[in-house]
Amino acid sequence: SSGINAEYGDGDETCEHHPGSPIFHEGMKYWSCCNKKTTDFNDFLKQKGCTNGTHLWGDPSLKKEVVCRYDWHQTGESVNFTVYAKKVKPALCTVTCNAVKLQLEIHFGDDQVFTFDKVLAGIVKPENSKVTYSATKVEVSMKKAEFIAWPSTFVL
C-alpha cells in the first residue's frame, strides 16, 4: 500500500494508507487522494494515510497486465462502461472518475490486471456515478452532466 511504514506481518492488521498516486508538481508534493500539499519531501513521506484498509503483501511486479473485453452504452442521462473479467477481486480494484476522465485498474483471476485510462467524450457527474462488481464483470455507471448523445467513439 502507498504511504505506509510497515513490516511484513499476518496481514490481518489494518493500515492507514493513501490509495492515490504520489504527485510531484512545481515543487509541491502530495497524494492525489487527499491533496495535503507540502514542499518538503520528508514531510510528504510522513503524511498520515487518508484511508484504512488491510496490508497487501506481495510483489506487484508479479501481476500480469492483460487486455480485457469492454463495452459501453448510453442513455439520455447516463453512460455505462463494462469490463468483462472472470474472478474479479473488488478489494484490489481502483476506479477513479472525474468530470472528464475515467481510470480503472481491475484485478482478477491469478494476479491479472487490466488498466484503462481515457478522456471521456463528454462531461459526467462523478458524485452521482457508481461502480458495481460481480464475479465476471465490473460496471461503471456515470451520470451525464448534459442530456446529450456522446459520439460513438466514447473517448477523445
Side-chain angles (χ1 to χ4, degrees), residues 4-15:
I4 61 169
N5 186 12
E7 294 181 16
Y8 181 75
D10 294 336
D12 292 335
E13 67 273 3
T14 60
C15 71

Side-chain angles (χ1 to χ4, degrees), residues 85-106:
K86 292 183 179 179
K87 299 181 186 175
V88 173
K89 300 174 181 176
L92 302 178
C93 296
T94 57
V95 176
T96 306
C97 179
N98 65 30
V100 296
K101 191 170 189 177
L102 176 63
Q103 297 171 297
L104 306 172
E105 184 173 284
I106 308 300

Side-chain angles (χ1 to χ4, degrees), residues 34-48:
C34 63
N35 275 328
K36 295 176 188 170
K37 297 181 180 182
T38 182
T39 56
D40 184 82
F41 187 71
N42 288 325
D43 288 344
F44 167 75
L45 292 177
K46 293 176 189 172
Q47 285 182 0
K48 286 193 168 241

Side-chain angles (χ1 to χ4, degrees), residues 4-155:
I4 61 169
N5 186 12
E7 294 181 16
Y8 181 75
D10 294 336
D12 292 335
E13 67 273 3
T14 60
C15 71
E16 200 172 60
H17 68 282
H18 294 283
S21 303
I23 299 187
F24 303 97
H25 182 68
E26 295 183 356
M28 299 303 291
K29 296 135 187 78
Y30 57 99
W31 293 95
S32 63
C33 49
C34 63
N35 275 328
K36 295 176 188 170
K37 297 181 180 182
T38 182
T39 56
D40 184 82
F41 187 71
N42 288 325
D43 288 344
F44 167 75
L45 292 177
K46 293 176 189 172
Q47 285 182 0
K48 286 193 168 241
C50 61
T51 302
N52 288 318
T54 55
H55 289 292
L56 301 175
W57 303 107
D59 184 353
S61 67
L62 296 178
K63 64 183 182 185
K64 296 180 269 182
E65 298 244 354
V66 297
V67 177
C68 287
R69 185 171 68 88
Y70 59 86
D71 198 5
W72 73 281
H73 70 277
Q74 64 181 315
T75 65
E77 61 184 31
S78 68
V79 174
N80 301 293
F81 184 76
T82 305
V83 176
Y84 300 96
K86 292 183 179 179
K87 299 181 186 175
V88 173
K89 300 174 181 176
L92 302 178
C93 296
T94 57
V95 176
T96 306
C97 179
N98 65 30
V100 296
K101 191 170 189 177
L102 176 63
Q103 297 171 297
L104 306 172
E105 184 173 284
I106 308 300
H107 292 260
F108 64 100
D110 297 321
D111 296 319
Q112 294 173 304
V113 64
F114 167 73
T115 56
F116 181 88
D117 185 353
K118 300 289 181 183
V119 174
L120 303 173
I123 302 170
V124 298
K125 295 179 180 178
E127 65 277 6
N128 295 340
S129 300
K130 69 176 186 172
V131 180
T132 306
Y133 297 98
S134 72
T136 58
K137 63 185 175 181
V138 176
E139 295 178 289
V140 182
S141 179
M142 298 169 283
K143 179 89 169 176
K144 290 181 182 177
E146 303 169 305
F147 196 83
I148 59 171
W150 287 14
S152 61
T153 54
F154 181 73
V155 292

